[in-house]
Each structure stands twice: as structure tokens, then as C-alpha cells.
Amino acid sequence: MRILVLGSGAREHAIITSLLSEPTAHEITAAPGNAGIAAVVPVVALDPTRGDVVSAYALDNDIELVVIGPEAPLVAGVADALRQRGIAVFGPGKAAAALEGSKTFAKRIMDDAGVPTGKATRAGTIDEAVAAIDEYGAPYVVKADGLAAGKGVLVTEDRDAAVAHADFWLAHGAVLVEEFLSGQEVSLFLLSDGHTVLPLSPAQDYKRVFDGDQGPNTGGMGAYSPLPWLPEGFVDEVINTVAIPTVRQLASERTPFIGLLYCGLIVTPKGVKVIEFNARFGDPETQVVLPRLKTPLSQLLFAAASGELASQPRPEFSDDVAVTVVLASEGYPEEPVTGRPITGLSDVHDVTIAHAATALVDGTYVATGGRVLSVVATGHTFSEARARVYLALDAIHLEGGHYRRDIGLRVSE
Ligand code: AMP
Ligand code: GLY
């Protein structure tokens, strides 16, 4: 198949690695990609958020499937532009992508669909926000309504910080003040063709920057899959109480969700609740879910894009486990230092590297952003996979670079 993958992160590199590992060869192009992706497939320098530009490229190059990695093209309506021209695309249109692009929209859909989630209040003014902050009490949870590149959520015991966060994000739109939910977090990805859903294997992401879940939230510092501690029947419970009601609600509003429904869940003493939805594969969870996938990814994505998931069997996963750790630049997540060389990448073994923010300058990889790359390993046990990842990270050098040392530790003892 001729496949165009939009995006430039480690998630897209992992998607491409998975597509390339299939027994059937595909012609894959990435736009715009990154230095790691460019080492394995052709890349084209086009703006992935421009529906007209992406559609013209896809038509000119007989692309049979477009896979949209990041949220920005989804929220910009790139999937709509492609579908209007009859091109198969894995990724929801603008209206359904609001499930990620607007937290108040997501809450409204969940309310209407009867999906379990925490209580939340939308605030349009600082007075409303302060009233909600005091109503819910500590720990305080304050979220920007719109896309905020991982910076919109603050969970804190400090009331002044909660109020300041609300004040800052009110300048960009509404904020949501939420009830604090306590429990283990789970990321479950479901493929959706608008009607039928098929689950991938659960993963757990580490959102805080430092070991022991300290420091600010990030886009994600590492992940592992599967989650051996999940209760039996967990995935089916999420399908029945979360995914199907959500997909049906969106279909009933004539905004079908075609793509990846990312359910960010929390396992509370009162059952599973949704913390957030995303409208795309998660990063870094994709890096641990796809290496374990045995069913050809292209087959699943194409079936979802063509409304034919009902004819597909449930995706199968290997019994091996996977762990990924993100190498971040100095200063991430606040102010990452960029432009520094990354060395040692050719000295690593038994791991795959998913590049995120890298460029090749005079034959040397340099870091161009906060989350630089993900080191991924599989193994029979979490201890084995962790040992491989951390051995590789010892060999990779990025001045000031940092990574968490406790990814997957809780399941490997
Ligand atoms: P979000 O971007 O909505 O997933 O939020 C980022 C992170 O903040 C989540 O992964 C949780 O760790 C935390 N978080 C968000 N909402 C809540 C909540 N209502 N209660 C507790 N923690 C939360
Ligand atoms: N790892 C969280 C996300 O992809 O949003």
C-alpha cells in the first residue's frame, strides 16, 4: 500500500517502524518526519496542518491511506479535506477531534453518553474559576479547555498556584476545574471506524518529569505495556462503558469518530473513570504498544479508515513486554535547550530508537526540542526490557539530557 504518515515525532517513527515490519512491503512517505524517520523512509517537507496541501500531495502521489499522527492536523480539519476528496484517512474530522481539542466538548459528550468521568465545572471568568476551585477543594485540578501541548493541566495542593494557572489560561479561553481523582492511570487505545471499535493492548504513561512522579506534567516521559496488574475484564469494561457509548454518541451527532480513540483512564475505588480523551495515538505509549502488535497495523488502520472494522478480528499481541524511556533535553518541559549533539546512537544494541526532536547536521544528530527520542526494548520480563533500555541510555550522550530511571520499575520487582 502507498501510505502517507503525517507528523514528526517518536509516535510517527514507531508507527512507521511497525508498518515496515509487516511481511508485506509498503511504500511509506512521512510529512514532515524527522531525522530518524528520514533514515528509513522518504520524507516530504509539507505542512501537515494544511488540508489543501496534504490532499494535493496525496492525489498527485496516488496515496491509498493517510495516517494522521498528531492532534494539530486533526483539529485543523485535515482529515475532512482528505475524505472530501475520497482519500482513505485514519484520523477523525475536525468535529470529532474536538474530543481532544476541547475538554468542555469531551465532558459534554461523556455526560450525554453516560460515560463515567470526574465532576467538572467550566469557568469563563476568574471569579467562576475561584468559586469552583474552592468548591472542589485540594488537591486542585485546573485545565485549559483547548489544546495546550501538555502544559494546560495543573494538579496541585497549592491554591494560589491553582488560581494563577486558571488566570493564565483564561486569557486563551475557558478553563475547567475538576474533581481530583486518585488511582492508577491507564492509556487504552481503540481503533474506531465510526461504529465498531477494536482495542489495542493497555499501556501506562509516566507524565511527571522526575522519578517518583515528581515535578511538572510533561507530554510523557516513558511507558510500559502490558499492565499485569489490571483486573480481568478491564478492556471489555472500557469498551462497553466508555468507548462504544462515546463512539455512538458522536455518530448520532453526525460527527463519526474514525481513527484512534485514546482513553486516558483512572482506576478509582469507584470504578474506571475517564480523565481525558485524545483523538490520536499517544506518545510515548505507541512506542510500547506497537512493537507487541502481531496483526499487521496497515490492515487495521485501513479497515478503520474504510468503515470495515467489523470484519476484522481483535488485534493480537505478543506475550513479550515492552518498555520505553524518553530522553529529554536540559530544561524540558519548561525551556528545553536545543542544538546540542546526540552521540552514541550507533553503540546501542537490542533496542529500537524512535526519534522525536532530532535533525542531522553535518552527519551528527542534534536535539531540536524537548522530548528528543524514545529508547524502546521488548523482553520476556520487565526486568529484561528495562535492563536493555537503560544500558542503551548509558551509551547515548546528550549534554544536559535527562530521563526517568523508574519507568516500569513498579512491575519489575
Ligand atoms: P490530561 O492532559 O487531562 O490527561 O491531564 C494530565 C495528567 O494530569 C493526567 O495524566 C493525570 O495524571 C493528571 N490529572 C488530570 N486530571 C486529573 C484529575 N481529575 N484527577 C487527578 N489527576 C488528574
Ligand atoms: N502520552 C500522553 C499523550 O499522548 O497525550
Side-chain angles (χ1 to χ4, degrees):
M1 218 186 305
R2 274 184 299 281
I3 306 172
L4 172 64
V5 178
L6 298 184
S8 60
R11 163 187 47 218
E12 288 75 26
H13 196 172
I15 289 171
I16 290 165
T17 302
S18 182
L19 293 169
L20 289 173
S21 75
E22 292 180 17
T24 312
H26 301 293
E27 274 179 49
I28 300 165
T29 307
N34 58 39
I37 293 173
V40 288
V41 298
V43 296
V44 0
L46 54 78
D47 179 351
T49 64
R50 290 274 308 273
D52 52 345
V53 172
V54 175
S55 303
Y57 179 86
L59 287 173
D60 285 349
N61 292 278
D62 297 323
I63 298 293
E64 293 160 281
L65 173 67
V66 179
V67 180
I68 303 184
E71 56 275 24
L74 297 169
V75 170
V78 171
D80 303 293
L82 288 160
R83 271 190 202 104
Q84 272 159 19
R85 292 166 177 83
I87 301 160
V89 50
F90 184 81
K94 182 178 176 142
L99 212 50
E100 170 164 2
S102 164
K103 290 188 189 282
T104 52
F105 176 79
K107 283 285 183 193
R108 202 274 293 159
I109 293 288
M110 285 190 264
D111 280 349
D112 289 352
V115 169
T117 186
K119 289 199 249 1
T121 302
R122 180 183 191 279
T125 66
I126 191 66
D127 290 346
E128 286 169 5
V130 170
I133 283 168
D134 288 334
E135 182 195 333
Y136 289 110
Y140 306 101
V141 181
V142 180
K143 301 184 177 183
D145 179 38
L147 290 184
K151 293 185 179 159
V153 176
L154 183 69
V155 180
T156 179
E157 295 280 346
D158 178 346
R159 183 180 175 279
D160 290 345
V163 172
H165 190 75
D167 197 34
F168 176 84
W169 285 102
L170 278 166
H172 303 265
V175 299
L176 221 59
V177 181
E178 283 189 16
E179 160 192 18
F180 175 80
L181 300 171
S182 168
Q184 286 289 332
E185 288 185 45
V186 180
S187 303
L188 183 66
F189 300 167
L190 296 112
L191 305 160
S192 170
D193 65 2
H195 302 281
T196 300
V197 298
L198 285 179
L200 300 183
S201 185
Q204 188 168 51
D205 179 18
Y206 289 70
K207 289 247 163 64
R208 301 283 184 143
V209 68
F210 300 129
D211 284 14
D213 295 330
Q214 301 297 307
N217 268 325
T218 69
M221 295 298 291
Y224 66 91
S225 172
L227 311 186
W229 44 267
L230 277 178
E232 206 170 321
F234 176 87
V235 169
D236 286 301
E237 183 187 344
V238 176
I239 291 175
N240 293 324
T241 64
V242 176
I244 291 180
T246 301
V247 164
R248 283 208 181 126
Q249 183 65 32
L250 288 165
S252 77
E253 299 184 12
R254 295 173 179 273
T255 55
F257 190 96
I258 300 166
L260 194 111
L261 180 65
Y262 168 130
C263 299
L265 305 159
I266 193 151
V267 186
T268 77
K270 292 188 191 157
V272 180
K273 295 192 180 189
V274 175
I275 285 215
E276 66 159 349
F277 283 127
N278 290 320
R280 45 149 182 100
F281 281 99
D283 189 344
E285 296 97 314
T286 302
Q287 288 88 298
V288 287
V289 171
L290 294 187
R292 301 184 48 245
L293 177 66
K294 294 205 284 190
T295 314
L297 178 63
S298 64
Q299 175 187 317
L300 294 169
L301 301 183
F302 190 76
S306 348
E308 284 170 3
L309 270 191
S311 66
Q312 294 290 316
R314 249 194 203 198
E316 284 187 49
F317 285 85
S318 133
D319 290 334
D320 278 356
V321 306
V323 172
T324 189
V325 176
V326 172
L327 173 65
S329 290
E330 180 175 352
Y332 176 77
E334 284 90 3
E335 280 185 48
V337 179
T338 60
R340 290 182 176 162
I342 311 154
T343 54
L345 287 178
S346 48
D347 302 329
V348 301
H349 307 282
D350 299 328
V351 294
T352 42
I353 307 284
H355 286 238
T358 64
L360 204 50
V361 177
D362 298 331
T364 301
Y365 286 111
V366 298
T368 58
R371 290 194 295 171
V372 176
L373 52 82
S374 300
V375 179
V376 187
T378 55
H380 295 307
T381 64
F382 284 107
S383 308
E384 190 181 56
R386 274 172 48 81
R388 288 183 173 146
V389 166
Y390 284 109
L391 198 63
L393 278 161
D394 279 345
I396 298 171
H397 184 73
L398 167 67
E399 188 192 333
H402 60 100
Y403 54 86
R404 280 183 64 158
R405 289 171 196 272
D406 61 349
I407 306 298
L409 188 59
R410 64 171 68 108
V411 283
S412 66
E413 285 164 338

